[in-house]
Amino acid sequence: MSIFDETLTMNNGVKIPKMALGVWEIPDAQTPEAVEAAIDMGYRHIDTAQAYGNERGVGEGVKKSGIPRDEIFINSKVAAELKNYKDAKASIDETLNKMGLDYLDMMIIHNPQPWNEVNQSNDRHFEGNLEAWRAMEDAVKEGKLRTIGVSSFEKEDLDNIIKNSSTKPAVNQILVHIGETPMDLINYSQENDIVVEAFSPIAHGAALNNPDINKMAEKYGVSVPQLCIRYDWQLNCVVLPKSANPTHMKSNAEIDFEISDEDMDKLKKFTPVDYGQAGVFPVFGGKM
Ligand SMILES: NC(=O)c1ccc[n+]([C@@H]2O[C@H](COP(=O)([O-])OP(=O)(O)OC[C@H]3O[C@@H](n4cnc5c(N)ncnc54)[C@H](OP(=O)(O)O)[C@@H]3O)[C@@H](O)[C@H]2O)c1
């Protein structure tokens, strides 16, 4: 079976391809080409967001690929700042308009907190997240979304949705890479039948320069991105490597090797990587 055919089944019965293309920081004008190249080589899952400014480009790439719409899983994210029903609901329609699509396979709340509060405020916006959630639930009822989930939700944020709504999040998209493996949150999500999606699997590129990760990749005779992607894969996560380069996209999907249990344990204990300039992003510990 090709890597691209492998799926996980979410708690609503919908299957999600384990390998995805992330498109953060690909400019809208270049996105159709990147998405088309990825779909052409077999990728069947694309991960974008309202905040990336390239939803239009993703829609164009999907259409140009010529692959039937129902064979491609498309996810976008409701902007982190939209914590009321009306704005969240309107934003879903805007996403569909921009993409030129009738429905999305999934949308997720981009972050429990608006970006300018991440790492700065203890306000978890429980009410606001429930409002955004209800907007997404209604979009499911209207046939605009097939599945809904969340991103960077901690245990308390997940509990808020689980206890106060009738739809359990189908996924929790979180930062998981060698050097950053939140096993408690991964286990809590998976034990609750919530699929974990690993974002920034290559540490936003920072893994490439990490000597310890390089040494482990050499041991397996694979590239650093291949080791990183395989690591998240073996944690039973959906993996979302970003690349705008078709050569990279292709090699990133060549992960037909096995990391031993002993090395998985070692990799889980790796110390944090240096994100360099990307450390300013709230998702990597920075403040906006
Ligand atoms: N939910 C959230 O809050 C959140 C946050 C961050 C990310 N994400 C999602 O996760 C996706 C991936 O995360 P990310 O964009 O932070 O970074 P990433 O996938 O960890 O790393 C991407 C970087 O690695 C490079 N790269 C990829 N494959 C390579 C290869 N084979 N050889 C050499 N370099 C390679 C890319 O450059 P090239 O383009 O040149 O290949 C890019 O600079 C995002 O696109 C987004 O979809 C979500």
Side-chain angles (χ1 to χ4, degrees), residues 98-170:
K98 276 190 188 152
M99 297 183 99
L101 298 172
D102 301 331
Y103 73 93
L104 285 197
D105 297 278
M106 188 162 78
M107 278 191 88
I108 64 183
I109 297 179
H110 206 149
N111 198 277
Q113 298 176 292
W115 292 117
N116 64 3
E117 291 181 30
V118 176
N119 307 319
Q120 321 206 44
S121 155
N122 293 326
D123 185 351
R124 302 306 296 181
H125 291 270
F126 289 140
E127 265 316 307
N129 282 312
L130 285 171
E131 288 216 13
W133 193 248
R134 281 192 272 275
M136 292 159 75
E137 285 181 308
D138 284 352
V140 171
K141 286 183 199 136
E142 291 164 14
K144 294 173 179 171
L145 304 177
R146 292 175 74 208
T147 307
I148 54 179
V150 296
S151 180
S152 298
F153 269 42
E154 297 293 339
K155 184 176 176 299
E156 57 181 336
D157 305 313
L158 290 173
D159 288 346
N160 174 46
I161 304 279
I162 293 169
K163 287 189 184 135
N164 298 308
S165 83
S166 48
T167 317
K168 196 191 250 196

Side-chain angles (χ1 to χ4, degrees), residues 10-274:
M10 296 182 285
N11 58 33
N12 62 351
V14 173
K15 287 182 170 23
I16 183 167
K18 262 186 101 175
M19 176 62 89
L21 180 79
V23 298
W24 181 25
E25 290 185 323
I26 305 183
D28 189 48
Q30 289 158 34
T31 300
E33 201 185 338
V35 168
E36 205 184 339
I39 294 174
D40 200 41
M41 69 181 76
Y43 283 78
R44 289 294 178 269
H45 178 174
I46 312 290
D47 185 86
T48 183
Q50 291 171 348
Y52 299 168
N54 57 15
E55 289 176 309
R56 188 211 61 82
V58 170
E60 185 184 328
V62 166
K63 266 181 237 132
K64 278 191 172 160
S65 75
I67 298 291
R69 168 68 189 91
D70 62 2
E71 290 178 23
I72 303 172
F73 189 100
I74 305 171
N75 179 55
S76 190
K77 310 184 188 86
V78 172
E81 292 73 22
L82 304 180
K83 299 299 184 204
N84 67 76
Y85 180 94
K86 193 167 156 274
D87 291 346
K89 190 73 179 16
S91 83
I92 296 168
D93 291 336
E94 201 180 320
T95 286
L96 290 172
N97 275 338
K98 276 190 188 152
M99 297 183 99
L101 298 172
D102 301 331
Y103 73 93
L104 285 197
D105 297 278
M106 188 162 78
M107 278 191 88
I108 64 183
I109 297 179
H110 206 149
N111 198 277
Q113 298 176 292
W115 292 117
N116 64 3
E117 291 181 30
V118 176
N119 307 319
Q120 321 206 44
S121 155
N122 293 326
D123 185 351
R124 302 306 296 181
H125 291 270
F126 289 140
E127 265 316 307
N129 282 312
L130 285 171
E131 288 216 13
W133 193 248
R134 281 192 272 275
M136 292 159 75
E137 285 181 308
D138 284 352
V140 171
K141 286 183 199 136
E142 291 164 14
K144 294 173 179 171
L145 304 177
R146 292 175 74 208
T147 307
I148 54 179
V150 296
S151 180
S152 298
F153 269 42
E154 297 293 339
K155 184 176 176 299
E156 57 181 336
D157 305 313
L158 290 173
D159 288 346
N160 174 46
I161 304 279
I162 293 169
K163 287 189 184 135
N164 298 308
S165 83
S166 48
T167 317
K168 196 191 250 196
V171 305
N172 191 13
Q173 183 177 125
I174 57 180
L175 180 64
V176 185
H177 59 73
I178 300 169
E180 178 59 48
T181 313
M183 278 318 301
D184 283 355
L185 185 57
I186 293 172
N187 288 336
Y188 188 74
S189 302
Q190 291 177 343
E191 280 159 12
N192 271 287
D193 202 12
I194 297 170
V195 166
V196 175
E197 300 192 285
F199 75 65
S200 302
I202 314 164
H204 202 66
L208 296 163
N209 307 316
N210 180 289
D212 296 329
I213 302 178
N214 271 274
K215 212 183 274 171
M216 188 65 90
E218 264 168 43
K219 173 176 169 181
Y220 283 91
V222 298
S223 70
V224 163
Q226 286 167 336
L227 180 81
C228 289
I229 294 163
R230 181 72 207 186
Y231 173 73
D232 283 342
W233 190 271
Q234 287 186 213
L235 292 172
N236 214 22
C237 296
V238 169
V239 197
L240 316 163
K242 174 264 172 182
S243 184
N245 176 333
T247 308
H248 291 171
M249 290 176 198
K250 186 165 182 302
S251 70
N252 289 351
E254 291 163 359
I255 53 163
D256 191 13
F257 64 100
E258 185 85 23
I259 304 172
S260 71
D261 290 347
E262 197 191 342
D263 286 334
M264 282 299 289
D265 284 339
K266 274 191 201 156
L267 290 168
K268 281 180 197 168
K269 294 184 189 115
F270 269 32
T271 50
V273 299
D274 178 357

